[in-house]
Amino acid sequence: MALLASSILAADFTNIKDAVLIAENAGADIIHVDIMDGHFVPNLTFGPKLITAIKKTTSLPVDVHLMVDDPQAIAPLFIEAGADWISIHIEASVHLHKDISFIKENGLKAGLALNPATPILHMQNIIQELDYVLIMTVNPGWGGQQFIEASHTKITRLKNWIKGQNLDILIEIDGGVSLENMDQLMLDGVDVFVVGSSIYRSKNPKNTIIKMKKILAGDKMP
Ligand code: DX5
Ligand code: ZN
């Protein structure tokens, strides 16, 4: 079954604890936390202390998405803080093999994130080392953007590559996911859905998560 990662970027920042508990109680599988450094993307978000605080609040795995220029310097801080999954951007890492190996050696799941215009072939010499690939389906930096439709082809190509090589790698997508496009994305082969605005900006975040989980369980598949 595909997994739902609740992205707290769209939550009320004065009440992050509630956002995490709503996600956990409604059946979300993962808490997704976006780290932005003001360089790789213009926006700024959270530091490692938030991860430690969230880990005290929930038993769900915490997936840290590093949108930072220097993942080699920043990843250790989030490993130390208790992250379970960490993704770094292929566009940012200079020593990619070293950075991915470091995350895995510390017992975490290591992911590689790709911006919308970055070809999947750029992963040719690293893909076999990865636990997951994070396909950005919007340009990173903000929540609430529109899903980029060309992502469907990118995801299906990646799925075929993974299947063809018999690799054990999850496809995670991030940005513009909603109740409306999840069915198709399931068919494309997505394994992990990151969702922010469609959950936390909805009238009833708990019900939205429950509905999404039903789709991911295949209840609404054609
Ligand atoms: C965007 C972030 C996403 C963001 C997605 O840079 O990486 O994780 O939370 O937000 P929505 O679901 O609102 O598009
Ligand atoms: Zn993200």
Side-chain angles (χ1 to χ4, degrees):
M1 202 207 311
L3 303 174
L4 182 62
S6 199
S7 173
I8 58 160
L9 188 65
D12 173 359
F13 285 2
T14 61
N15 206 349
I16 287 178
K17 186 174 183 177
D18 243 30
V20 170
L21 290 177
I22 285 170
E24 180 163 33
N25 293 335
D29 303 285
I30 297 166
I31 302 296
H32 181 89
V33 185
D34 290 304
I35 309 301
M36 306 185 189
D37 66 351
H39 295 275
F40 182 73
V41 288
N43 208 356
L44 277 165
T45 56
F46 319 110
K49 275 191 176 171
L50 182 68
I51 306 304
T52 311
I54 290 174
K55 289 293 287 181
K56 284 186 190 149
T57 307
T58 180
S59 56
L60 292 181
V62 175
D63 171 28
V64 172
H65 176 194
L66 289 182
M67 282 161 276
V68 302
D69 259 357
D70 191 354
Q72 196 172 351
I74 303 294
L77 308 177
F78 286 87
I79 292 171
E80 180 72 19
D84 300 284
W85 298 26
I86 289 185
S87 62
I88 60 174
H89 268 263
I90 193 167
E91 303 85 3
S93 173
V94 178
H95 301 288
L96 190 50
H97 186 273
K98 193 175 171 192
D99 292 348
I100 292 292
S101 303
F102 182 75
I103 294 168
K104 286 182 8 180
E105 279 159 15
N106 279 278
L108 288 82
K109 279 198 190 300
L112 189 58
L114 270 67
N115 282 338
T118 302
I120 57 171
L121 277 178
H122 286 194
M123 292 189 290
Q124 199 152 231
N125 296 325
I126 191 71
I127 191 161
Q128 65 284 349
E129 306 294 333
L130 305 174
D131 293 307
Y132 63 107
V133 175
L134 197 176
I135 297 289
M136 288 306 303
T137 44
V138 297
N139 285 295
W142 285 271
Q145 302 180 73
Q146 209 177 352
F147 182 87
I148 296 171
E149 291 299 325
S151 312
H152 288 296
T153 315
K154 193 170 179 181
I155 295 161
T156 48
R157 280 191 187 140
L158 176 58
K159 193 69 180 184
N160 288 337
W161 186 6
I162 289 171
K163 273 190 191 163
Q165 299 291 313
N166 225 350
L167 298 167
D168 187 16
I169 299 172
L170 298 173
I171 300 180
E172 179 176 64
I173 60 159
D174 189 3
V177 178
S178 67
L179 281 165
E180 285 68 44
N181 60 16
M182 278 182 137
D183 274 324
Q184 181 56 48
L185 289 161
M186 286 273 291
L187 294 171
D188 292 346
V190 173
D191 302 296
V192 184
F193 290 77
V194 176
V195 188
S197 307
S198 296
I199 292 175
Y200 292 111
R201 306 266 159 87
S202 69
K203 272 200 186 125
N204 188 329
K206 187 180 167 193
N207 282 349
T208 304
I209 291 173
I210 292 169
K211 281 184 196 162
M212 287 182 166
K213 283 289 292 181
K214 279 190 180 156
I215 295 174
L216 301 192
D219 285 7
K220 273 178 65 181
M221 295 285 283

